[in-house]
Amino acid sequence: MGKTRRAIALSGGGPPVGTQIGALKALDECGIEFDVFSTDCIGSWTACIFNSHSPEVRIEKLEEFYKLCFVPDDIFDGYSVPVDIFVTDYFEELRVLFAKMNDIGIYSNLFLPHRISEYVQHYLNPMNLPKSTVEWSLMWTKGMSLNPFFRLMFKLMYRTAKTGRSWLLGPGDHGADMVDKYIDFEKLMRIRERIYVNAYNLSRNRIDLFTNRRNPKNYKTITLDALKANSSILGYLQNREIDGDQYCEGSVVDTVNFRHLKEHIHDLEEVWVINILDYKMVKPPRNQLEADLVAVELPFTTIAHDDVKLFECYIKRNGYANKIKVIRIDMSYKELDFFWKWSTLEKGIEIGYEGALKTISNYFLNTPSRRKSHYKEAAAV
């Protein structure tokens, strides 16, 4: 039996990325290697770093890189933002703000006399006066919506030329020096393994796919720009522009990024899945921070779960069920959270490592023929 042809899917999901590091560490230790890396969002960074270095140091490099991305717990407690990767260009913010203030159009419709008259007439009627704290708040909010000053502030806050609160690693090529220490794009173009990355093209309403080849047919080439586009969270991070098109992260459509595996389906025997998101992670939010994180992560959890099921259905429907095995790395999702702090990263590595070891143990237990093949592969290496 020849070498087992394997693909691995590294999903998006952000802060639980430690599980990917831990799982890849266990897979490395057990000599399980992959020919195809199907990735999205933070999983794309994991795959590119992993394949940029020799087996002896690649897990160490992953840990180093993500330690830079996450925040020490004591800092996170008072300022819960991954400041080294969510970068705000304050000078550009001021430039955009002043440009908007110099736009004469922003001052139109600030004063609405007839609406103000309606509002005053309504509350001059004693029957309409507020009778509860909620009704007082409603009256105040309606008043703000008609106040010219508040209307101007709203326009300056929400109508300026920006699509997110900050940039991933900064605008343009900012962050390249940091990334170049961990991702060797030239090496990625030469390796045998194929890496696939997706990003959602907002300008053309489609998923675009990137791979580690120069001028690939039906794909684009993986670059720093592609990775930044692939991980730009809607609303939080500004949309990246590539060749005149605006992009955001591919997770909004395809969190696990199985689409391109169809072209490898005839060669593959196994598809391993490291999905860092699960419903068990979602807990009732206790504050605004947790509510914001759940609002981002819960849809991705749903998409990731459905992606795996749809891929398994695709395999069965096309007659590959007896040829291709889908192996999910199972782990203790209940112990994970969505915080960008060091303890979350460290806990994720531990959980991913333990979950992968259990999955690998069951894999060899349930497929003895694979175990024999694995030992032959390991001996050949």
Side-chain angles (χ1 to χ4, degrees), residues 91-107 156 159-161:
F91 293 98
E92 176 63 13
E93 295 266 313
L94 287 173
R95 187 197 68 77
V96 169
L97 177 62
F98 287 135
K100 192 67 177 177
M101 291 177 68
N102 288 325
D103 177 7
I104 194 67
I106 195 175
Y107 301 101
L156 291 175
R159 301 294 177 85
T160 53

Side-chain angles (χ1 to χ4, degrees), residues 22 116 156 187 215 224 231 357:
I116 295 174
L156 291 175
K187 180 179 179 181
N215 303 314
L224 176 58
S231 305
L357 286 180

Side-chain angles (χ1 to χ4, degrees), residues 16-148:
V17 68
T19 57
Q20 291 179 350
I21 301 172
L24 287 170
K25 180 180 179 181
L27 291 163
D28 253 8
E29 290 177 355
C30 295
I32 297 176
E33 299 179 339
F34 299 93
D35 304 282
V36 181
F37 288 75
S38 173
T39 72
D40 179 54
C41 196
I42 204 160
S44 306
W45 296 85
T46 299
C48 289
I49 296 168
F50 184 81
N51 285 286
S52 290
H53 302 278
S54 65
E56 294 79 18
V57 299
R58 56 194 182 190
I59 300 302
E60 177 186 338
K61 292 296 182 181
L62 280 169
E63 292 180 2
E64 284 181 12
F65 177 79
Y66 285 122
K67 193 79 177 286
L68 295 174
C69 297
F70 282 66
V71 178
D73 285 41
D74 56 343
I75 295 178
F76 187 89
D77 182 57
Y79 198 82
S80 306
V81 179
V83 292
D84 285 320
I85 54 172
F86 285 18
V87 179
T88 300
D89 184 345
Y90 293 105
F91 293 98
E92 176 63 13
E93 295 266 313
L94 287 173
R95 187 197 68 77
V96 169
L97 177 62
F98 287 135
K100 192 67 177 177
M101 291 177 68
N102 288 325
D103 177 7
I104 194 67
I106 195 175
Y107 301 101
S108 64
N109 288 327
L110 290 182
F111 184 56
L112 303 174
H114 66 293
R115 296 298 182 191
I116 295 174
S117 176
E118 289 175 357
Y119 175 82
V120 172
Q121 292 285 337
H122 178 80
Y123 285 107
L124 282 176
N125 185 341
M127 298 295 295
N128 295 329
L129 287 176
K131 300 176 181 63
S132 67
T133 55
V134 174
E135 289 184 1
W136 276 105
S137 298
L138 182 60
M139 183 181 76
W140 174 254
T141 304
K142 286 184 176 180
M144 285 195 300
S145 73
L146 299 174
N147 184 299

Side-chain angles (χ1 to χ4, degrees), residues 97-340:
L97 177 62
F98 287 135
K100 192 67 177 177
M101 291 177 68
N102 288 325
D103 177 7
I104 194 67
I106 195 175
Y107 301 101
S108 64
N109 288 327
L110 290 182
F111 184 56
L112 303 174
H114 66 293
R115 296 298 182 191
I116 295 174
S117 176
E118 289 175 357
Y119 175 82
V120 172
Q121 292 285 337
H122 178 80
Y123 285 107
L124 282 176
N125 185 341
M127 298 295 295
N128 295 329
L129 287 176
K131 300 176 181 63
S132 67
T133 55
V134 174
E135 289 184 1
W136 276 105
S137 298
L138 182 60
M139 183 181 76
W140 174 254
T141 304
K142 286 184 176 180
M144 285 195 300
S145 73
L146 299 174
N147 184 299
F149 174 77
F150 285 115
R151 291 174 63 80
L152 177 60
M153 290 301 101
F154 186 92
K155 284 189 175 185
L156 291 175
M157 184 177 295
Y158 289 101
R159 301 294 177 85
T160 53
K162 53 181 290 188
T163 54
R165 301 173 193 171
S166 55
W167 292 96
L168 181 63
L169 295 178
D173 292 331
H174 188 81
D177 291 344
M178 170 189 167
V179 173
D180 286 344
K181 295 176 183 177
Y182 296 95
I183 299 179
D184 186 341
F185 289 100
E186 290 299 321
K187 180 179 179 181
L188 294 181
M189 299 302 145
R190 300 192 303 268
I191 61 175
R192 174 185 59 83
E193 293 81 3
R194 289 296 294 268
I195 303 171
Y196 294 92
V197 170
N198 70 9
Y200 187 67
N201 188 324
L202 288 160
S203 301
R204 301 178 186 273
N205 303 121
R206 71 188 187 199
I207 281 282
D208 282 353
L209 295 169
F210 303 79
T211 190
N212 57 324
R213 295 291 184 269
R214 299 193 188 282
N215 303 314
K217 185 179 180 181
N218 301 324
Y219 297 97
K220 298 176 184 286
T221 300
I222 293 176
T223 60
L224 176 58
D225 247 358
L227 291 177
K228 285 186 174 186
N230 155 274
S231 305
S232 294
I233 308 167
L234 278 171
Y236 281 83
L237 298 170
Q238 295 216 50
N239 303 331
R240 299 295 305 183
E241 187 173 300
I242 300 176
D243 298 331
D245 290 342
Q246 283 195 38
Y247 286 84
C248 69
E249 65 174 323
S251 287
V252 294
V253 175
D254 191 348
T255 305
V256 186
N257 191 22
F258 283 124
R259 179 177 300 190
H260 59 277
L261 286 183
K262 295 176 183 178
E263 70 180 54
H264 293 279
I265 209 77
H266 301 289
D267 301 324
L268 294 176
E269 298 170 70
E270 296 173 2
V271 176
W272 292 64
V273 181
I274 305 179
N275 186 5
I276 65 178
L277 296 172
D278 189 86
Y279 294 112
K280 299 183 184 71
M281 300 169 63
V282 181
K283 304 172 183 67
R286 296 167 296 182
N287 50 53
Q288 187 64 55
L289 171 64
E290 294 183 6
D292 285 350
L293 292 173
V294 168
V296 172
E297 299 288 2
L298 184 55
F300 295 158
T301 301
T302 306
I303 297 168
H305 183 265
D306 292 344
D307 282 349
V308 179
K309 290 179 66 176
L310 287 170
F311 185 68
E312 289 175 331
C313 289
Y314 174 83
I315 288 174
K316 291 177 183 178
R317 188 177 70 241
N318 288 277
Y320 295 109
N322 294 325
K323 177 182 179 295
I324 300 175
K325 186 172 185 175
V326 177
I327 302 142
R328 305 191 198 196
I329 302 286
D330 194 21
M331 59 189 81
S332 301
Y333 288 102
K334 287 183 179 179
E335 299 179 51
L336 296 167
D337 60 46
F338 301 125
F339 298 133
W340 288 96

